[in-house]
Amino acid sequence: MCGIVGYIGKRNSLPIIIEGLKRLEYRGYDSAGVSIINDKDEIISFKQAGKVNKLEEALDVDKFQGNIGIGHTRWATHGVPNDTNAHPHYDMDKNIMIVHNGIIENYKLIKNRLIEEKYTFTTDTDTEILANLINYHHKNTNDFETAVRLALLEVEGTYGIACLCAKEPDKILVARKGSPLMLGIGNEEILVASDASAIINHTKNVIYLEDGEMAALERGSFHLKTIEDKDIYRNIEVLDFLLDDIEKGGYDHFMLKEICEQPDTIQNTYRGRINFETGVAKLGGLDSIAEKLFKAKRIIITACGTAWHAGLVGEYMLEHYCRIPVEVEYASEFRYRRPIISTDDVVILISQSGETADTLAALREAKKFGATTIGIVNVIGSTIAREVDAGTYVHAGAEIGVASTKAFTCQVMSLALITLMIANEKKTVSHHDLIKLAKELKQIPEKIARMVGMKDSYKEVAMKFKDAKNFLYLGRGFNFPVALEGALKLKEISYIHAEGYPAAEMKHGPIALIDENMPVVFIAPKDRTYDKIISSIMEVKARNGVIIAIASEGDDNINSYSDFVLRVPKTAALFAPIINIIPLQFLSYYIAAARGCNVDQPRNLAKSVTVE
Ligand code: G6P
């Protein structure tokens, strides 16, 4: 949520910052801005509503020369996305310039105090208040670093910040609490960014800041400390992904690239984690808490958005195959309803980014009650990954498209592996069936590849619905969460209203919406709910609804009930969601692309929501 990038070194900073902002734009993109310290040691700044491309076009490149600078791409929280509220923000005296991710919760209190000190404000943002608070402390201490530290000690809420000071024009100060920030350590240069994609083109050597830490960056050197003023020494970590991983690679959109990558990403999730001869799964990252997991009285899964849908699939899997009671909870609700959590509970947190504020807060709540916490996370080194008791990385690779696709299937695969691991230990699945499931698992990448090969057939159907106003998605059992996820994908990127329901619930409300203008997607593979799904299809047909069936290869029976059929390979129930979501991802992608929507950066959304 919002992107920060900064540079200090010997090169001209503007191109590095602009390139970084473009890579970070998937985190937020309603306005953008940069501030540079020029060779006269002045801070020059430019910001405006709209995307980074627009900013780049409007900037006077000749003027913006200098080898220290900071930039920001915004997802609005306080104040509408206009030129004024865009970052960076100055204090009243134009001494401190700051970019900020997060929310200053006690901003009103601080503002009132500063007003008493005769401070004035020109924007609606909480960030401007922080800039003025730093300026206030700078006036009293005459030391930039101390001023930032003292200001942050007063702040309640979350922040990732990078700031410049006109009176000390040779450094950048950065700090983090609840909003990710990392340093990229290059050759006589240092970068700072809210995620690795902005850094990777320049260096792979990074240092992750922890909550409550700050860093002073100078040309070629830096030092870390806590905001309580304790020095910190931390080892440099080496990023292990390539620039190619975050480029479009010939695809029109990241989302399409990421959908098509799934044969590989799924394989990356299970590689080395399952023995195909015995069917035994082993996740090294869970070793330390395996006993707790096997003995868990209850598993609680908590997450947001698409990851929550993966969690719902997990509930079906773990209850069906492991016979452990599971509850799935929106992370945002979890801690506010005084959850009853015991030390015998295992809480699984699922998050692509590993930074979602509500999921992180749920993790901390669970830990407070002494539950064992497990992370299923994609972004390596992210906050959730670091704070859980144990975890497993899904290894989906960088996911740039705001609508999550490959991370979802990898999350579900991770849950399947956990299911197999527990089922083996608890003997809730026979040895013979475990081997069968493992054999099936091995075929999943090839089956997804087959669907990727059929994408034109999915596109053909999508084209018929590009002007639809509403959509209904229905599924049962393991495919109910797939219906929810299919509907979410469509509404996120095409802005078509779409709802997902358990198929049988249709009779209790949604059926009232059905007429000849209502496309209904049935997830109807040949499984144990097939006959019931056919009954629901008949009910929609009887009311002139338009049926799009996701149906198993070879199921000709369904043709006579459906207007359109999207074929999927057959698989075991455990893996059905991974297979059946693929045509739905394509369907939403092609519909959104045909409507001319910005598929990778849908309006109002952000990839990583680091505010509560
Ligand atoms: C945002 C994204 C969604 C994502 C959700 C949870 O809303 O737009 O695609 O599913 O956050 O994100 P996480 O990183 O925790 O999986």
Side-chain angles (χ1 to χ4, degrees):
M1 174 139 301
C2 302
I4 288 179
V5 61
Y7 174 87
I8 180 163
K10 293 193 163 159
R11 292 190 279 163
N12 189 21
S13 59
L14 183 69
I16 298 166
I17 292 168
I18 293 287
E19 178 210 341
L21 289 180
K22 284 183 184 163
R23 294 198 195 283
L24 291 177
E25 218 174 11
Y26 71 103
R27 300 178 65 95
Y29 34 79
D30 48 43
S31 54
V34 291
S35 291
I36 305 279
I37 296 187
N38 67 14
D39 52 12
K40 290 187 207 121
D41 281 350
E42 300 157 340
I43 301 178
I44 47 172
S45 196
F46 187 74
K47 57 182 190 168
Q48 63 177 26
K51 304 220 159 154
V52 177
N53 270 340
K54 246 184 88 191
L55 180 87
E56 191 181 16
E57 277 164 29
L59 260 171
D60 179 351
V61 180
D62 295 334
K63 194 173 134 206
F64 277 76
Q65 299 276 331
N67 37 36
I68 302 179
I70 55 177
H72 190 265
T73 173
R74 178 171 187 245
W75 186 87
T77 56
H78 282 60
V80 291
N82 57 21
D83 293 358
T84 314
N85 290 335
H87 294 220
H89 286 286
Y90 254 138
D91 67 303
M92 163 186 91
D93 298 328
K94 298 205 173 348
N95 178 30
I96 303 296
M97 187 61 104
I98 183 169
V99 291
H100 165 224
N101 291 350
I103 296 179
I104 310 295
E105 282 165 6
N106 56 342
Y107 74 98
K108 274 208 178 116
L109 218 75
I110 297 175
K111 186 172 184 177
N112 290 341
R113 225 189 68 210
L114 290 171
I115 288 172
E116 280 171 22
E117 301 282 341
K118 307 274 178 286
Y119 275 79
T120 54
F121 300 87
T122 50
T123 76
D124 307 325
T125 65
D126 50 345
T127 305
E128 188 192 11
I129 291 158
L130 183 55
N132 279 293
L133 185 62
I134 296 172
N135 179 49
Y136 168 81
H137 286 294
H138 194 239
K139 276 185 184 161
N140 292 336
T141 61
N142 219 11
D143 181 62
F144 183 26
E145 202 173 308
T146 311
V148 169
R149 223 170 47 67
L150 294 180
L152 294 179
L153 283 172
E154 289 190 46
V155 160
E156 283 166 26
T158 55
Y159 52 78
I161 57 165
C163 34
L164 305 174
C165 177
K167 293 192 181 138
E168 295 184 42
D170 50 359
K171 55 175 79 150
I172 302 178
L173 285 183
V174 303
R176 117 161 225 176
K177 184 181 159 208
S179 197
L181 217 54
M182 59 168 64
L183 308 183
I185 316 299
N187 187 11
E188 293 189 65
E189 59 185 20
I190 299 173
L191 291 101
V192 58
S194 44
D195 83 52
S197 56
I199 286 179
I200 187 84
N201 202 16
H202 305 284
T203 177
K204 290 192 163 199
N205 298 329
V206 298
I207 288 182
Y208 295 96
L209 256 65
E210 303 278 354
D211 280 352
E213 293 180 355
M214 59 187 286
L217 317 182
E218 295 183 31
R219 285 188 182 82
S221 74
F222 65 95
H223 76 261
L224 289 176
K225 57 164 63 175
T226 66
I227 62 167
E228 277 88 22
D229 208 16
K230 285 202 190 88
D231 286 334
I232 302 165
Y233 302 92
R234 177 147 318 130
N235 289 338
I236 290 177
E237 295 182 41
V238 181
L239 293 171
D240 73 346
F241 65 94
L242 302 168
L243 188 59
D244 279 2
D245 297 337
I246 49 168
E247 309 255 80
K248 277 192 207 142
Y251 288 91
D252 287 346
H253 295 99
F254 280 110
M255 183 181 179
L256 183 59
K257 175 186 174 231
E258 288 159 5
I259 295 172
C260 295
E261 274 172 2
Q262 289 174 106
D264 293 332
T265 54
I266 277 291
Q267 220 167 335
N268 291 341
T269 305
Y270 69 66
R271 181 171 294 119
R273 290 169 163 176
I274 183 153
N275 180 331
F276 294 106
E277 305 296 312
T278 61
V280 176
K282 184 168 162 40
L283 293 154
L286 303 188
D287 274 354
S288 59
I289 52 81
E291 277 310 303
K292 286 259 186 195
L293 181 60
F294 299 147
K295 293 196 177 121
K297 294 236 162 46
R298 182 174 65 144
I299 294 177
I300 300 166
I301 304 178
T302 182
C304 301
T306 287
W308 182 78
H309 294 155
L312 277 183
V313 176
E315 177 181 27
Y316 281 83
M317 288 175 168
L318 289 161
E319 293 200 339
H320 183 98
Y321 291 98
C322 308
R323 310 303 298 143
I324 302 178
V326 178
E327 279 172 37
V328 186
E329 183 96 51
Y330 283 116
S332 52
E333 289 299 310
F334 181 69
R335 70 192 178 121
Y336 287 109
R337 64 170 186 83
R338 293 181 69 207
I340 300 163
I341 310 169
S342 84
T343 49
D344 294 329
D345 290 332
V346 168
V347 178
I348 300 182
L349 297 300
I350 309 178
S351 176
Q352 187 286 126
S353 62
E355 301 292 351
T356 300
D358 285 318
T359 313
L360 182 57
L363 161 63
R364 290 175 178 164
E365 186 75 4
K367 286 182 91 166
K368 215 165 75 192
F369 286 98
T372 301
T373 56
I374 295 179
I376 298 181
V377 171
N378 188 32
V379 176
I380 295 175
S382 54
T383 311
I384 294 173
R386 284 181 284 129
E387 289 196 15
V388 285
D389 295 321
T392 180
Y393 283 119
V394 304
H395 295 309
E399 191 181 65
I400 307 289
V402 166
S404 184
T405 51
K406 61 177 181 171
F408 172 76
T409 48
C410 291
Q411 286 159 354
V412 175
M413 180 52 90
S414 301
L415 287 159
L417 291 169
I418 293 175
T419 302
L420 292 174
M421 182 174 130
I422 301 175
N424 172 56
E425 176 69 23
K426 293 179 74 115
K427 307 210 177 345
T428 44
V429 174
S430 71
H431 187 56
H432 172 260
D433 285 350
L434 276 181
I435 294 174
K436 258 177 66 183
L437 284 169
K439 270 205 181 117
E440 180 52 34
L441 183 150
K442 204 176 185 179
Q443 291 180 33
I444 300 297
E446 184 271 320
K447 288 183 177 175
I448 301 177
R450 233 162 59 218
M451 289 186 284
V452 171
M454 295 189 317
K455 62 180 184 304
D456 286 347
S457 68
Y458 304 144
K459 182 177 181 181
E460 219 172 279
V461 175
M463 290 303 125
K464 313 252 185 242
F465 294 97
K466 69 181 182 51
D467 298 318
K469 300 263 181 300
N470 295 287
F471 255 87
L472 209 54
Y473 285 70
L474 303 175
R476 287 188 84 130
F478 281 79
N479 288 311
F480 160 51
V482 177
L484 294 181
E485 176 59 9
L488 176 65
K489 283 294 86 89
L490 186 71
K491 73 182 135 199
E492 277 181 315
I493 59 168
S494 72
Y495 319 134
I496 295 175
H497 173 243
E499 296 294 338
Y501 266 90
E505 271 297 301
M506 179 193 64
K507 297 189 285 294
H508 304 289
I511 199 164
L513 300 171
I514 289 170
D515 61 15
E516 64 283 3
N517 297 316
M518 176 62 98
V520 185
V521 178
F522 277 95
I523 298 125
K526 273 276 199 181
D527 62 15
R528 66 196 184 101
T529 65
Y530 180 76
D531 291 338
K532 302 271 185 249
I533 286 275
I534 294 290
S535 307
S536 303
I537 292 180
M538 302 295 280
E539 288 157 14
V540 171
K541 194 103 208 106
R543 287 155 184 91
N544 295 326
V546 183
I547 316 280
I548 304 163
I550 308 301
S552 301
E553 284 170 341
D555 173 16
D556 296 332
N557 170 54
I558 206 156
N559 297 352
S560 54
Y561 304 110
S562 317
D563 298 285
F564 301 93
V565 180
L566 306 182
R567 293 291 169 189
V568 290
K570 287 190 198 125
T571 186
L574 183 63
F575 308 113
I578 298 175
I579 294 289
N580 296 336
I581 193 62
I582 307 286
L584 302 187
Q585 293 172 344
F586 278 121
L587 190 68
S588 48
Y589 170 76
Y590 284 121
I591 290 177
R595 287 161 75 94
C597 298
N598 188 340
V599 173
D600 286 331
Q601 294 174 348
R603 71 181 178 213
N604 303 339
L605 294 181
K607 182 75 187 156
S608 167
V609 180
T610 51
V611 291
E612 288 178 43

Coordinates of all heavy atoms in Angstrom, one line a residue, residues 159-220:
Y159 N 3.9 3.6 10.2 CA 4.6 4.4 9.2 C 5.7 3.6 8.6 O 6.3 2.7 9.2 CB 5.1 5.7 9.8 CG 6.0 5.5 11.1 CD1 7.3 5.0 11.0 CD2 5.4 5.7 12.3 CE1 8.0 4.8 12.2 CE2 6.1 5.4 13.5 CZ 7.4 5.0 13.4 OH 8.1 4.8 14.5
G160 N 6.0 3.9 7.3 CA 7.2 3.7 6.7 C 7.6 5.1 6.1 O 6.7 5.6 5.4
I161 N 8.7 5.6 6.5 CA 9.0 7.0 6.0 C 10.4 7.1 5.4 O 11.3 6.4 5.8 CB 8.8 8.1 7.1 CG1 9.8 7.8 8.3 CG2 7.4 8.2 7.6 CD1 9.9 9.0 9.2
A162 N 10.5 8.1 4.5 CA 11.8 8.5 4.1 C 11.8 10.0 4.0 O 10.8 10.6 3.5 CB 12.1 8.0 2.7
C163 N 12.8 10.7 4.6 CA 12.7 12.2 4.6 C 14.0 12.8 4.4 O 15.1 12.2 4.7 CB 12.0 12.7 5.9 SG 12.3 11.8 7.4
L164 N 13.9 14.0 3.9 CA 15.0 14.9 3.6 C 15.0 16.1 4.5 O 13.9 16.5 4.9 CB 15.0 15.4 2.1 CG 14.9 14.3 1.1 CD1 14.7 14.9 -0.3 CD2 16.1 13.4 1.1
C165 N 16.1 16.8 4.7 CA 16.1 18.0 5.5 C 17.0 19.0 4.7 O 18.1 18.8 4.4 CB 16.7 17.7 6.8 SG 16.9 19.1 7.9
A166 N 16.3 20.2 4.5 CA 17.0 21.2 3.7 C 18.3 21.7 4.5 O 19.3 22.1 3.8 CB 16.1 22.4 3.5
K167 N 18.2 21.7 5.8 CA 19.4 22.2 6.5 C 20.5 21.1 6.7 O 21.6 21.4 7.1 CB 18.9 22.7 7.9 CG 18.1 23.9 7.8 CD 17.8 24.6 9.1 CE 16.9 25.8 8.9 NZ 15.9 25.9 9.9
E168 N 20.2 19.9 6.4 CA 21.2 18.8 6.4 C 21.1 18.0 5.1 O 20.6 16.9 5.1 CB 21.0 17.9 7.6 CG 21.3 18.6 8.9 CD 21.2 17.7 10.2 OE1 21.7 16.6 10.1 OE2 20.6 18.1 11.2
P169 N 21.5 18.6 4.0 CA 21.1 18.1 2.7 C 22.0 16.9 2.2 O 21.9 16.6 1.1 CB 21.4 19.3 1.8 CG 22.4 20.1 2.4 CD 22.3 19.9 3.9
D170 N 22.7 16.2 3.1 CA 23.5 15.2 2.7 C 23.1 13.8 3.2 O 23.8 12.9 3.3 CB 25.0 15.4 3.2 CG 25.0 15.8 4.6 OD1 23.9 15.8 5.3 OD2 26.1 16.0 5.2
K171 N 21.8 13.7 3.6 CA 21.4 12.4 4.1 C 19.9 12.2 3.9 O 19.1 13.1 3.7 CB 21.7 12.2 5.6 CG 21.2 13.3 6.5 CD 21.6 12.9 8.0 CE 23.0 13.2 8.3 NZ 23.2 13.5 9.8
I172 N 19.5 10.9 4.0 CA 18.1 10.6 4.0 C 17.9 9.8 5.3 O 18.7 9.0 5.6 CB 17.7 9.6 2.8 CG1 18.1 10.2 1.4 CG2 16.3 9.2 2.8 CD1 17.8 9.3 0.2
L173 N 16.8 10.1 5.9 CA 16.4 9.4 7.1 C 15.2 8.5 6.8 O 14.2 9.0 6.2 CB 16.2 10.3 8.3 CG 17.4 10.9 8.9 CD1 17.1 11.7 10.1 CD2 18.4 9.8 9.3
V174 N 15.2 7.3 7.3 CA 14.1 6.4 7.0 C 13.7 5.7 8.3 O 14.6 5.6 9.2 CB 14.5 5.3 5.9 CG1 14.9 6.0 4.6 CG2 15.5 4.4 6.4
A175 N 12.5 5.3 8.4 CA 12.1 4.6 9.6 C 10.8 3.7 9.3 O 10.1 4.0 8.3 CB 11.7 5.6 10.7
R176 N 10.6 2.7 10.1 CA 9.5 1.9 9.9 C 8.8 1.5 11.2 O 9.4 1.2 12.2 CB 9.9 0.6 9.1 CG 9.7 -0.6 9.9 CD 9.7 -1.9 9.1 NE 8.6 -2.7 9.5 CZ 8.2 -3.8 9.0 NH1 8.9 -4.3 8.0 NH2 7.2 -4.5 9.5
K177 N 7.4 1.4 11.1 CA 6.6 0.8 12.1 C 5.4 0.3 11.4 O 4.6 1.2 11.0 CB 6.3 1.7 13.2 CG 5.6 1.0 14.4 CD 5.2 2.0 15.5 CE 4.1 1.5 16.3 NZ 3.3 2.6 16.9
G178 N 5.2 -0.9 11.2 CA 4.0 -1.5 10.6 C 3.9 -1.3 9.1 O 2.9 -1.7 8.5
S179 N 4.9 -0.7 8.5 CA 4.8 -0.6 7.0 C 6.2 -0.9 6.5 O 7.2 -0.3 6.9 CB 4.4 0.9 6.7 OG 4.0 1.0 5.4
P180 N 6.3 -1.9 5.6 CA 7.6 -2.4 5.2 C 8.6 -1.4 4.6 O 8.2 -0.5 3.9 CB 7.3 -3.5 4.2 CG 5.9 -3.2 3.7 CD 5.2 -2.5 4.8
L181 N 9.8 -1.6 4.9 CA 10.9 -0.8 4.3 C 12.2 -1.6 4.3 O 12.5 -2.3 5.3 CB 11.1 0.5 5.2 CG 11.4 1.8 4.5 CD1 10.3 2.1 3.5 CD2 11.4 2.9 5.6
M182 N 12.9 -1.5 3.2 CA 14.2 -2.2 3.2 C 15.3 -1.3 2.6 O 15.0 -0.4 1.8 CB 14.1 -3.5 2.4 CG 13.6 -3.3 1.0 SD 13.8 -4.8 0.1 CE 12.7 -5.9 1.0
L183 N 16.5 -1.5 3.0 CA 17.6 -0.8 2.3 C 18.3 -1.7 1.3 O 18.4 -2.9 1.5 CB 18.7 -0.5 3.4 CG 18.2 0.3 4.7 CD1 19.4 0.6 5.5 CD2 17.5 1.5 4.3
G184 N 18.7 -1.1 0.2 CA 19.5 -1.9 -0.8 C 20.9 -1.3 -0.7 O 21.1 -0.1 -0.9
I185 N 21.8 -2.2 -0.5 CA 23.2 -1.7 -0.2 C 24.0 -1.9 -1.5 O 24.3 -3.1 -1.9 CB 23.9 -2.4 0.9 CG1 22.9 -2.6 2.1 CG2 25.2 -1.8 1.3 CD1 22.5 -1.3 2.7
G186 N 24.3 -0.8 -2.2 CA 25.0 -1.0 -3.5 C 26.5 -0.5 -3.3 O 26.9 -0.3 -2.2
N187 N 27.1 -0.3 -4.4 CA 28.5 0.1 -4.4 C 28.5 1.7 -4.3 O 28.2 2.4 -5.2 CB 29.1 -0.3 -5.8 CG 30.6 -0.1 -5.8 OD1 31.2 0.2 -4.7 ND2 31.2 -0.2 -6.9
E188 N 28.9 2.1 -3.1 CA 28.9 3.6 -2.8 C 27.5 4.2 -3.0 O 27.4 5.4 -3.4 CB 29.9 4.3 -3.6 CG 31.3 3.9 -3.2 CD 32.4 4.8 -3.9 OE1 32.4 6.0 -3.6 OE2 33.1 4.2 -4.7
E189 N 26.5 3.4 -2.9 CA 25.2 4.0 -3.0 C 24.2 3.2 -2.2 O 24.4 2.0 -2.0 CB 24.7 4.1 -4.5 CG 24.6 2.7 -5.2 CD 24.3 2.9 -6.6 OE1 24.4 4.0 -7.2 OE2 23.8 1.8 -7.2
I190 N 23.2 3.8 -1.7 CA 22.2 3.1 -0.9 C 20.8 3.5 -1.4 O 20.5 4.6 -1.7 CB 22.3 3.5 0.6 CG1 23.7 3.0 1.1 CG2 21.2 2.8 1.5 CD1 24.0 3.5 2.4
L191 N 20.0 2.4 -1.5 CA 18.6 2.7 -1.9 C 17.7 2.3 -0.7 O 18.1 1.5 0.1 CB 18.2 1.8 -3.1 CG 18.9 2.1 -4.4 CD1 20.0 1.2 -4.7 CD2 17.9 2.1 -5.6
V192 N 16.5 2.9 -0.8 CA 15.5 2.5 0.2 C 14.2 2.3 -0.5 O 13.9 3.0 -1.5 CB 15.4 3.5 1.4 CG1 15.0 4.9 0.8 CG2 14.3 3.1 2.4
A193 N 13.5 1.3 -0.1 CA 12.2 1.0 -0.8 C 11.3 0.2 0.0 O 11.7 -0.4 1.0 CB 12.4 0.2 -2.1
S194 N 10.0 0.3 -0.3 CA 9.0 -0.4 0.5 C 8.9 -1.8 0.0 O 8.3 -2.7 0.7 CB 7.6 0.3 0.4 OG 7.4 0.7 -0.9
D195 N 9.4 -2.2 -1.2 CA 9.7 -3.6 -1.5 C 10.7 -3.8 -2.5 O 11.2 -2.9 -3.2 CB 8.4 -4.4 -1.7 CG 7.8 -4.3 -3.1 OD1 8.6 -4.5 -4.1 OD2 6.6 -4.0 -3.2
A196 N 11.2 -5.0 -2.6 CA 12.4 -5.4 -3.3 C 12.3 -5.1 -4.8 O 13.4 -4.9 -5.4 CB 12.7 -6.8 -3.1
S197 N 11.1 -5.0 -5.3 CA 11.1 -4.8 -6.8 C 11.7 -3.5 -7.2 O 12.2 -3.4 -8.3 CB 9.6 -4.9 -7.2 OG 8.8 -4.0 -6.5
A198 N 11.7 -2.5 -6.3 CA 12.3 -1.2 -6.7 C 13.8 -1.2 -6.6 O 14.5 -0.3 -7.0 CB 11.7 -0.1 -5.8
I199 N 14.4 -2.2 -6.0 CA 15.8 -2.3 -5.7 C 16.6 -3.2 -6.5 O 17.7 -3.0 -6.9 CB 15.9 -2.7 -4.2 CG1 15.6 -1.5 -3.3 CG2 17.3 -3.1 -3.8 CD1 15.7 -1.8 -1.8
I200 N 15.9 -4.3 -6.9 CA 16.5 -5.5 -7.5 C 17.4 -5.2 -8.7 O 18.4 -5.8 -9.0 CB 15.5 -6.6 -7.8 CG1 16.1 -7.9 -8.2 CG2 14.5 -6.1 -8.8 CD1 16.5 -8.7 -7.1
N201 N 17.0 -4.2 -9.5 CA 17.8 -3.8 -10.7 C 19.1 -3.2 -10.3 O 20.0 -3.2 -11.2 CB 17.0 -2.8 -11.5 CG 17.4 -2.8 -12.9 OD1 18.1 -3.7 -13.4 ND2 17.1 -1.8 -13.7
H202 N 19.3 -2.8 -9.1 CA 20.6 -2.1 -8.7 C 21.4 -2.9 -7.7 O 22.6 -2.9 -7.8 CB 20.2 -0.8 -8.1 CG 19.4 0.1 -9.0 ND1 19.9 0.7 -10.1 CD2 18.0 0.3 -9.0 CE1 18.9 1.3 -10.7 NE2 17.8 1.1 -10.1
T203 N 20.8 -3.7 -6.8 CA 21.5 -4.5 -5.9 C 20.7 -5.6 -5.4 O 19.4 -5.5 -5.3 CB 22.1 -3.7 -4.7 OG1 22.8 -4.6 -3.8 CG2 21.0 -3.0 -4.0
K204 N 21.3 -6.7 -5.0 CA 20.6 -7.8 -4.4 C 20.8 -7.9 -2.9 O 20.3 -8.7 -2.2 CB 21.0 -9.1 -5.0 CG 20.5 -9.3 -6.4 CD 20.7 -10.7 -6.9 CE 19.8 -10.8 -8.2 NZ 19.5 -12.1 -8.5
N205 N 21.7 -7.0 -2.4 CA 22.1 -7.0 -1.0 C 21.1 -6.0 -0.3 O 21.1 -4.8 -0.5 CB 23.5 -6.5 -0.8 CG 24.5 -7.4 -1.5 OD1 24.2 -8.6 -1.6 ND2 25.6 -6.8 -2.0
V206 N 20.3 -6.6 0.6 CA 19.3 -5.8 1.3 C 19.4 -6.0 2.8 O 19.9 -7.0 3.3 CB 17.9 -6.2 0.8 CG1 17.7 -5.9 -0.6 CG2 17.5 -7.6 1.2
I207 N 18.8 -5.0 3.5 CA 18.6 -5.1 5.0 C 17.2 -4.7 5.2 O 16.7 -3.7 4.7 CB 19.6 -4.1 5.7 CG1 21.0 -4.6 5.6 CG2 19.1 -3.9 7.1 CD1 22.0 -3.8 6.3
Y208 N 16.5 -5.6 5.9 CA 15.1 -5.3 6.2 C 15.0 -4.5 7.5 O 15.6 -5.0 8.5 CB 14.3 -6.6 6.4 CG 14.1 -7.4 5.1 CD1 15.0 -8.5 4.9 CD2 13.1 -7.2 4.2 CE1 14.9 -9.2 3.7 CE2 13.0 -7.9 3.1 CZ 13.9 -8.9 2.8 OH 13.8 -9.7 1.7
L209 N 14.3 -3.4 7.5 CA 14.1 -2.7 8.8 C 13.0 -3.4 9.6 O 12.0 -3.9 9.0 CB 13.7 -1.3 8.5 CG 14.8 -0.2 8.7 CD1 15.9 -0.4 7.7 CD2 14.2 1.2 8.6
E210 N 13.1 -3.5 10.9 CA 12.1 -4.0 11.7 C 11.3 -2.8 12.3 O 11.7 -1.7 12.3 CB 12.7 -4.8 12.9 CG 13.6 -5.9 12.5 CD 12.9 -7.2 12.2 OE1 11.6 -7.2 12.4 OE2 13.5 -8.1 11.7
D211 N 10.1 -3.2 12.9 CA 9.3 -2.1 13.5 C 10.1 -1.4 14.6 O 10.8 -2.0 15.3 CB 8.0 -2.7 14.1 CG 7.0 -3.0 13.0 OD1 7.2 -2.6 11.9 OD2 6.0 -3.6 13.4
G212 N 9.9 -0.1 14.6 CA 10.6 0.7 15.6 C 12.0 1.0 15.3 O 12.8 1.5 16.2
E213 N 12.4 0.7 14.1 CA 13.8 1.0 13.7 C 13.9 2.1 12.7 O 13.0 2.4 11.9 CB 14.5 -0.3 13.1 CG 14.6 -1.4 14.1 CD 15.2 -2.6 13.6 OE1 15.5 -2.7 12.4 OE2 15.4 -3.5 14.4
M214 N 15.1 2.8 12.7 CA 15.3 3.8 11.7 C 16.7 3.7 11.2 O 17.5 3.0 11.7 CB 15.1 5.2 12.3 CG 15.9 5.5 13.5 SD 15.4 7.1 14.3 CE 16.1 8.3 13.1
A215 N 17.0 4.4 10.1 CA 18.3 4.4 9.5 C 18.7 5.7 8.9 O 17.8 6.4 8.4 CB 18.4 3.3 8.4
A216 N 19.9 6.1 9.1 CA 20.4 7.3 8.5 C 21.3 6.9 7.3 O 22.2 6.2 7.5 CB 21.2 8.1 9.5
L217 N 20.9 7.4 6.2 CA 21.6 7.0 4.9 C 22.5 8.2 4.5 O 22.0 9.3 4.3 CB 20.7 6.6 3.8 CG 19.5 5.7 4.2 CD1 18.6 5.4 3.0 CD2 19.9 4.5 4.9
E218 N 23.8 7.9 4.3 CA 24.6 8.9 3.7 C 25.3 8.3 2.4 O 25.1 7.1 2.2 CB 25.7 9.3 4.7 CG 25.0 10.0 5.9 CD 25.9 10.6 6.9 OE1 27.0 11.0 6.5 OE2 25.5 10.6 8.1
R219 N 26.0 9.1 1.7 CA 26.6 8.5 0.5 C 27.5 7.3 0.8 O 28.6 7.6 1.4 CB 27.3 9.6 -0.3 CG 26.4 10.5 -1.1 CD 27.2 11.4 -2.0 NE 26.4 12.3 -2.6 CZ 25.9 13.5 -2.1 NH1 26.3 13.8 -0.9 NH2 25.1 14.3 -2.8
G220 N 27.1 6.1 0.5 CA 28.0 5.0 0.7 C 28.1 4.5 2.2 O 28.8 3.5 2.5

